Amino acid sequence: DAKTTQPPSMDCAEGRAANLPCNHSTISGNEYVYWYRQIHSQGPQYIIHGLKNNETNEMASLIITEDRKSSTLILPHATLRDTAVYYCIVRAPEGGATNKLIFGTGTLLAVQP
Amino acid sequence: DGGITQSPKYLFRKEGQNVTLSCEQNLNHDAMYWYRQDPGQGLRLIYYSQIVNDFQKGDIAEGYSVSREKKESFPLTVTSAQKNPTAFYLCASSIYVSSTEAFFGQGTRLTVV
């Protein structure tokens, strides 16, 4: 699996958009970008994933650059409950037994009142 | 409600004792996983199972054992051979191992004194 690079921490004002970047310059053509988040002392929660097109769901939007070497997770209106560690992961959806989710250290997003 | 349940939330054990952490899911998922998380770190994969009666070592399997006798259950035993067992343990499941989304339990915080 390709490695990802994320800033260790970010701040965001409540009600504003939170833009979390992720670099994955060695991503392969069949690898997707996944985002999970982990609120303190809880299990991670899936947010969104994409291959090359931008994706949006009820939680967030995912913008992937044309060369696929980086992406940005956007929380359009951050709330205090969005304070969490956000993990960017790349992996291929096929691959069977060796295709595991590998978590790095993520970005701690602190939403400020 | 469907979900994945870990118990207990907090567990204390004396050094040298084996301890078993419970993980149950009623999502009818084939794949299940155990991760370990240390303070300020990402998740590291201990073991995973693709199907009943099958499991594979992850990146840090030494000192741990698992069983998968039933589809809904994937208990993890932390043995006395694990040198640093104090950690936050997370169980997850997915429809199959290469599924796009994994569902996590709320974790068990194990403290060995």
Side-chain angles (χ1 to χ4, degrees), chain A:
Chain A
D1 288 341
K3 289 184 67 174
T4 61
T5 304
Q6 298 177 254
S9 63
M10 293 182 63
D11 287 345
C12 176
E14 190 177 16
R16 305 295 293 269
N19 299 293
L20 293 96
C22 179
N23 286 324
H24 31 79
S25 58
T26 59
I27 192 170
S28 300
N30 65 339
E31 288 182 315
Y32 284 66
V33 180
Y34 295 79
W35 284 84
Y36 281 74
R37 75 178 183 184
Q38 185 178 22
I39 294 170
H40 183 63
S41 293
Q42 296 184 22
Q45 175 191 24
Y46 166 83
I47 301 172
I48 198 167
H49 75 281
L51 182 63
K52 59 177 79 171
N53 297 322
N54 298 337
E55 302 288 343
T56 295
N57 63 20
E58 64 278 4
M59 289 184 69
S61 295
L62 174 60
I63 309 297
I64 302 174
T65 58
E66 195 168 337
D67 63 8
R68 302 206 328 118
K69 293 185 177 182
S70 65
S71 60
T72 300
L73 179 75
I74 301 172
L75 308 178
H77 305 288
T79 70
L80 297 178
R81 286 182 291 183
D82 291 322
T83 292
V85 176
Y86 288 78
Y87 297 98
C88 170
I89 301 164
V90 294
R91 72 190 272 252
E94 69 280 357
T98 61
N99 190 21
K100 309 177 289 289
L101 278 174
I102 299 175
F103 289 79
T105 52
T107 296
L108 173 59
L109 174 68
V111 180
Q112 309 291 343

Side-chain angles (χ1 to χ4, degrees), chain A residues 34 36 38 91 93 96-97 100 104, chain B residues 37 42 45 48 97-100 102:
Chain A
Y34 295 79
Y36 281 74
Q38 185 178 22
R91 72 190 272 252
K100 309 177 289 289
Chain B
Q37 187 173 35
L45 184 66
Y48 63 98
V97 118
S98 56
S99 295
T100 55

